[in-house]
Each structure stands twice: as structure tokens, then as C-alpha cells.
Amino acid sequence: MSINHHNLNVDQQEIDKFSAIASEWWDPDGKFKPLHTINPLRLDYILNKTGNLQGKHLLDVGCGGGILSESLAKAGANVTAIDMAEQSLSIAKIHAQQNQLNIDYRLESVEHHLQHTTQRYDIITCMEMLEHVPEPSSIIRCCAALLKPQGQLFLSTINRTHKSRLLLIIGAEYVARIIPKGTHDFNKFIRPSELIDWVEKSGLKPIELVGMEYRLLSNHFELGPNIDTNYIAYITKP
Ligand code: SAH
């Protein structure tokens, strides 16, 4: 299936980058290793805020190979998951089938999804994706429209600081080579103040920001107050 990306809030070069390495989505030591590493942390955080996911309608925006979508489905959520990289979705679908998980994967942008569904969601997650789109504020506006009243939104992205450039671009891409060169563009990193401004302009309420901090010495991530690199924003709809 081909889609006309003209005028969409989609950067085709970004989609191509993810498509090219789609076969590695489920390799825990492959190019998506950092996402596998942070997944238990962000899952715990989400479960802590939402409680029981059983029967909840959940949308995962920019789902990739489904690392987060699957763990949310396993926790009982009724998951719809969208992405613009067809290769990633193929991998996601096969993997979910192998694990007997019923996830509704769709090749759609969130803007398109909003136009074509009457479904409204209890929970929306959009993790590590906003820094890859031309206009992140549009994603947030669409999530706001797709949420039910009292719905919960979880966004995660990367702060635009000297430390994030050093750690996530120079360190992770060039020195340690944990992730492919060119994965991140520093200028597209998002300051918490910018994110909060978009959230509030969409009529949503930011509740909490929490850092996903990398501990160099013990080589692991943990949640904490320091939001100068990766962070999660927990947001609700009034
Ligand atoms: N959310 C997943 C994957 C993050 S990688 C996780 O955290 O595990 C970023 C993903 O965003 C990629 O799969 C990429 O294809 C997707 N993406 C980038 N731009 C997009 C857009 N405009 N619409 C939907 N998905 C997009």
C-alpha cells in the first residue's frame, strides 16, 4: 500500500531510517537496544498512573515494532497502534501473532487516524517519536482530540541540552555506537517548556515530568527528577 505523504506531518527521511533497520526491532541487543532497556521502566510508570488496564482503550502513536504496544496489551489494554513505517508494522504484526496478542496495527498518521475513527481513547502513549516529526504540536493536538474526558496521555522525548547532545548524539551514536549515526537531530529535541506550552494550548493538563536517567557507572536507566536528557510527560484531559 502506498500513501501520499505530501502535506502530512511526516518526515519521509525519518520513516526511511526506521524502515531500513526494521528487522532489528525485536533483537534485544540490536539497534533498538535502548528502547528494550527503558521499556520496563516506562511500562511501570504508566501502570502506576493508570492502574488496571483491563478493557481500557489505548492508542500507541509511533509504535515501531511494538515494544511498548505489546507490553501494554499483555497488561490487558485493548491496543490500537499506529506508525508510518510499513516495514516496522509488518514486523510488529508477525511478532504479536507469535505471542498471541491481539493488537490493531495500522499504517496511519495520528492526524489521519483522528479523521477516520470515532473511537476515543482512555489512554494514549507516544514515546520517543515527537523528536522525529516536522510538527510535534500537531501530534499533541490530535492526541487531545482522540482522548476521552479524564483520559491520560504519556509522551516521552529528549530535552535539548548540552548534556543530551553530548550523551545521546556524540556518546551513543559516535563513541559507543549503541544507536545508528543520524538517529537523532539535536535541533529537533524538545525542551520541557516547549512541550508544556503545546500541551496547554491543546487544552490538556500537564501533571508530572519525570526523567529517564542514564547511569553511566552501572550502565542502566532509572526514573528520577532529572529531566535534562530523556523524559516522560504525564498529562491528563480535563
Ligand atoms: N514508540 C516506540 C518506537 C519509537 S521510534 C517505542 O518507544 O518503542 C520512533 C517511531 O516513530 C518509529 O517507529 C517511526 O517510524 C515512527 N514515526 C516517525 N514519524 C512518524 C509519524 N509522523 N507518524 C507515525 N509514526 C512516526
Side-chain angles (χ1 to χ4, degrees):
M1 190 174 136
S2 76
I3 276 189
N4 178 7
H5 289 170
H6 186 63
N7 274 346
L8 282 182
N9 184 22
V10 175
D11 180 338
Q12 188 57 41
Q13 278 185 342
E14 291 278 357
I15 301 302
D16 293 344
K17 272 195 291 198
F18 285 103
S19 295
I21 52 172
S23 64
E24 300 207 22
W25 271 112
W26 286 96
D27 177 354
D29 293 313
K31 298 206 166 72
F32 295 107
K33 185 175 180 175
L35 295 178
H36 286 280
T37 310
I38 62 173
N39 200 51
L41 274 188
R42 59 192 188 180
L43 179 66
D44 270 4
Y45 183 78
I46 293 169
L47 292 178
N48 197 279
K49 300 295 179 193
T50 58
N52 189 355
L53 286 184
Q54 207 64 45
K56 297 264 180 76
H57 286 280
L58 187 151
L59 177 67
D60 189 20
V61 178
C63 61
I67 297 172
L68 181 67
S69 326
E70 282 204 8
S71 30
L72 294 165
K74 278 189 192 145
N78 190 336
V79 179
T80 303
I82 61 177
D83 202 284
M84 288 302 287
E86 201 169 359
Q87 283 88 336
S88 298
L89 285 177
S90 307
I91 300 284
K93 283 179 194 166
I94 293 168
H95 200 270
Q97 259 169 17
Q98 287 167 342
N99 286 278
Q100 274 138 42
L101 291 168
N102 190 10
I103 298 173
D104 184 2
Y105 281 112
R106 298 173 182 213
L107 182 66
E108 268 187 327
S109 66
V110 71
E111 287 85 355
H112 189 264
H113 189 63
L114 176 60
Q115 280 173 14
H116 290 85
T117 184
T118 52
Q119 178 68 50
R120 293 295 176 262
Y121 295 92
D122 302 293
I123 300 156
I124 302 182
T125 52
C126 178
M127 300 262 166
E128 313 303 323
M129 182 268 208
L130 292 174
E131 67 276 16
H132 299 285
V133 302
E135 205 192 323
S137 58
S138 160
I139 307 288
I140 296 174
R141 273 197 303 279
C142 292
C143 290
L146 282 160
L147 275 176
K148 293 178 186 172
Q150 272 80 59
Q152 296 171 297
L153 172 63
F154 297 87
L155 305 174
S156 74
T157 188
I158 303 174
N159 197 346
R160 201 169 62 253
T161 60
H162 291 304
K163 186 171 162 192
S164 66
R165 188 206 294 264
L166 207 68
L167 204 66
L168 291 155
I169 299 185
I170 300 171
E173 293 185 17
Y174 288 85
V175 180
R177 300 191 187 166
I178 307 165
I179 51 177
K181 282 180 192 152
T183 296
H184 290 122
D185 173 353
F186 178 72
N187 297 312
K188 289 166 94 181
F189 288 177
I190 299 168
R191 293 202 177 114
S193 57
E194 295 162 340
L195 190 83
I196 286 175
D197 187 46
W198 297 329
V199 163
E200 288 178 338
K201 284 191 174 131
S202 302
L204 299 172
K205 193 172 169 205
I207 305 291
E208 182 176 76
L209 296 178
V210 60
M212 275 189 285
E213 301 175 37
Y214 180 62
R215 297 267 177 261
L216 196 64
L217 289 179
S218 49
N219 187 27
H220 80 294
F221 285 88
E222 64 187 39
L223 296 183
N226 191 339
I227 55 170
D228 61 6
T229 52
N230 294 72
Y231 62 100
I232 303 178
Y234 171 47
I235 293 146
T236 59
K237 178 162 170 166

